Amino acid sequence: MSSDNRSKKILIIEDEKSISDIIKYNLEKEGYEITAAYDGGEGLAKALAGNFDLILLDVMLPVTDGFEVCKRVREKSSVPIIMLTAKEEEVDKVLGLELGADDYITKPFGMRELIARIKANIRRADQLTEEPERPSEVKSFGNLELDLSRYEVKKNGQALDLTLREFELFRYLAEREGRVFSREQLLEEVWGYEYYGDIRTVDVTVRRLREKLEDDPGDPKYILTRRGIGYYCKRPEA
Ligand code: CA
């Protein structure tokens, strides 16, 4: 159970009722409050209307597919989203992350793994929202400004639209300027738990960050690749 006493609310959007039911049963045992939706349209409506702590979102859904639901929810809310993807559909995982999902889990999955992921994602979101008001702490990095209390990066005074994960990855690298980290290390440090080895998550997040931070994402000056090893951050020369 989480640190605050209110039970956490989870929305399950999954059209296979047998899967939805077994997830619901197991999560209720853990103390979560569950709402189920059985197609993408119903799921999207509930996601936008409700105040959920996390959404479990199947990809293959009638009416509106999981990617579209993810994209539309993300336009309005930063609620953690875990996508449920079918085995071997690697492209689904990457696309889900590109559309703003926080995590994904591949079917068939074990309940313990699912619950671990749910806890990790809710804990992370809680840490970010429950952080007490601090005086703003801003660090400059080249022509970027990282506001550590507001989880914001500004470029030439303009706030960039980073997801929390993108912010955390950039902050992690920027605070350790010059040190090269492997994708595995970044998964562990920034994603915060064992990620079952899909290092492509890091590449996708780096690519998105570059699109937002860099003048020319094809010729990055902030987040650099050390071929065969990983990524590092550097302050561009003035
Ligand atoms: Ca399905």
Side-chain angles (χ1 to χ4, degrees), residues 13-16 19 38 58-62 84 107:
I13 309 176
E14 162 65 83
D15 58 313
E16 282 166 75
I19 296 179
Y38 301 99
D58 187 30
V59 171
M60 298 291 284
L61 288 169
L84 308 176
K107 290 179 180 176

Side-chain angles (χ1 to χ4, degrees), residues 103-114:
D103 206 348
Y104 57 82
I105 190 164
T106 306
K107 290 179 180 176
F109 47 78
M111 278 303 148
R112 285 171 68 177
E113 186 189 348
L114 179 66

Side-chain angles (χ1 to χ4, degrees), residues 139-146 152-160 212-216 222 236:
K139 289 187 178 178
S140 70
F141 196 87
N143 62 350
L144 303 177
E145 284 181 354
L146 279 85
E152 201 174 77
V153 176
K154 284 184 177 169
K155 182 175 182 178
N156 304 322
Q158 284 286 99
L160 302 175
K212 295 175 183 181
L213 300 179
E214 306 279 357
D215 292 335
D216 176 2
Y222 287 99

